[in-house]
C-alpha cells in the first residue's frame, strides 16, 4: 500500500485533490458515506490542469428506468472517458452506464483498478464498468474526488501501486 486516507469530510461542490496518490498503475479502494449527495465523482489519470482525466461517477437516482410500475429513478454507476485523451486519433465513445442500487443504510464501496489506459470500477461487489482511456500526457497521474449537491464523508481510501506487467524482473 502506498497511501491510506482516514475519515475525511468532503464539502459539496469542491474538487479535492488527493495529494500523494498519483500513478497510472494502481488500485484504489474507497468507502464513502454518500449521505444526501446527488453525485459522487472520482477522477483519475488527471493531468495537472485537468486537460486529461477519466471520471467515475455514482448518481443517486440518476437514471430513469421503465418498469411495469411506470417510470422510476434508479441509482447509476458511470465511467466516462470522453476527456481521457488529447490524442487526435482516439475515437470518442459514450460513457459506460450501469444501473446500481445503493441501499439507504449502506456505504458506497468503490474498488478501482487502473492500468495505464484501462480503468475498471467495481461498486459494492455488485456492479462493474470498464473502459480504455488512452491518456497522451505522461503527467496524467492525479486523483481527485468531488461530491455534488451535498457534503459526504470519505470513510477510508486505500491506494496501492501495482507492478507493471511489462517491466523486466
Amino acid at each position: 500500500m502506498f497511501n491510506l486516507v482516514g475519515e475525511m469530510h468532503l464539502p459539496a461542490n469542491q474538487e479535492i485533490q488527493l495529494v500523494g496518490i498519483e500513478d497510472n498503475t494502481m488500485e484504489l479502494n474507497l468507502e464513502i458515506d454518500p449521505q444526501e449527495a446527488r453525485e459522487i465523482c472520482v477522477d483519475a489519470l488527471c493531468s495537472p490542469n485537468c486537460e486529461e482525466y477519466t471520471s467515475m461517477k455514482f448518481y443517486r437516482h440518476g437514471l430513469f428506468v421503465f418498469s411495469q410500475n411506470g417510470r422510476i429513478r434508479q441509482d447509476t454507476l458511470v465511467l466516462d472517458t470522453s476527456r481521457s485523451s488529447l490524442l487526435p486519433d482516439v475515437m470518442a465513445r459514450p460513457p459506460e452506464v450501469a444501473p446500481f442500487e445503493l441501499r439507504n443504510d449502506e456505504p458506497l464501496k468503490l474498488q478501482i483498478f487502473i492500468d495505464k489506459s484501462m480503468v475498471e470500477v467495481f461498486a459494492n461487489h455488485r456492479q462493474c464498468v470498464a473502459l480504455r482511456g488512452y491518456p497522451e500526457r505522461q503527467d496524467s497521474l492525479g486523483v481527485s474526488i468531488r461530491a455534488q449537491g451535498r457534503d459526504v464523508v470519505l470513510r477510508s481510501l486505500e491506494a496501492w501501486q501495482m507492478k507493471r506487467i511489462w517491466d523486466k524482473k
Side-chain angles (χ1 to χ4, degrees):
M1 182 167 44
F2 72 82
N3 211 324
L4 175 66
V5 175
E7 191 163 301
M8 174 196 234
H9 174 84
L10 300 176
N13 312 316
Q14 292 183 27
E15 189 85 15
I16 307 296
Q17 297 294 323
L18 299 175
V19 178
I21 299 176
E22 300 178 334
D23 206 344
N24 62 5
T25 55
M26 64 179 148
E27 176 185 349
L28 301 171
N29 286 308
L30 299 94
E31 184 173 318
I32 303 164
D33 180 352
Q35 300 185 27
E36 298 298 317
R38 68 174 184 258
E39 174 188 340
I40 296 168
C41 180
V42 177
D43 288 339
L45 299 173
C46 303
S47 60
N49 293 318
C50 293
E51 298 91 352
E52 290 182 327
Y53 60 89
T54 298
S55 288
M56 293 142 278
K57 298 178 182 182
F58 167 74
Y59 290 98
R60 176 69 83 182
H61 311 298
L63 181 67
F64 280 110
V65 177
F66 296 92
S67 70
Q68 292 177 346
N69 299 330
R71 190 170 83 162
I72 59 171
R73 293 185 73 105
Q74 186 173 46
D75 297 343
T76 310
L77 187 63
V78 175
L79 178 56
D80 185 356
T81 60
S82 62
R83 300 285 307 269
S84 294
S85 182
L86 297 173
L87 292 168
D89 57 342
V90 171
M91 298 295 291
R93 67 170 291 157
E96 187 77 18
V97 179
F100 171 68
E101 181 182 349
L102 186 68
R103 293 182 288 274
N104 288 333
D105 62 340
E106 90 180 303
L108 176 64
K109 295 180 181 181
L110 298 176
Q111 185 176 26
I112 302 167
F113 293 95
I114 301 165
D115 188 6
K116 295 278 221 179
S117 65
M118 188 70 203
V119 178
E120 299 171 297
V121 182
F122 297 86
N124 292 55
H125 304 286
R126 293 194 307 268
Q127 187 58 277
C128 176
V129 289
L131 285 175
R132 288 195 175 276
Y134 304 106
E136 174 187 34
R137 296 174 55 120
Q138 296 297 313
D139 59 356
S140 292
L141 305 171
V143 178
S144 66
I145 188 168
R146 181 180 63 253
Q148 286 298 116
R150 305 267 185 188
D151 297 357
V152 302
V153 175
L154 175 63
R155 289 188 181 164
S156 66
L157 183 147
E158 299 172 340
W160 291 270
Q161 183 176 28
M162 295 190 309
K163 184 176 179 180
R164 293 164 174 82
I165 63 170
W166 52 86
D167 288 345
K168 293 183 180 185
K169 296 182 179 186

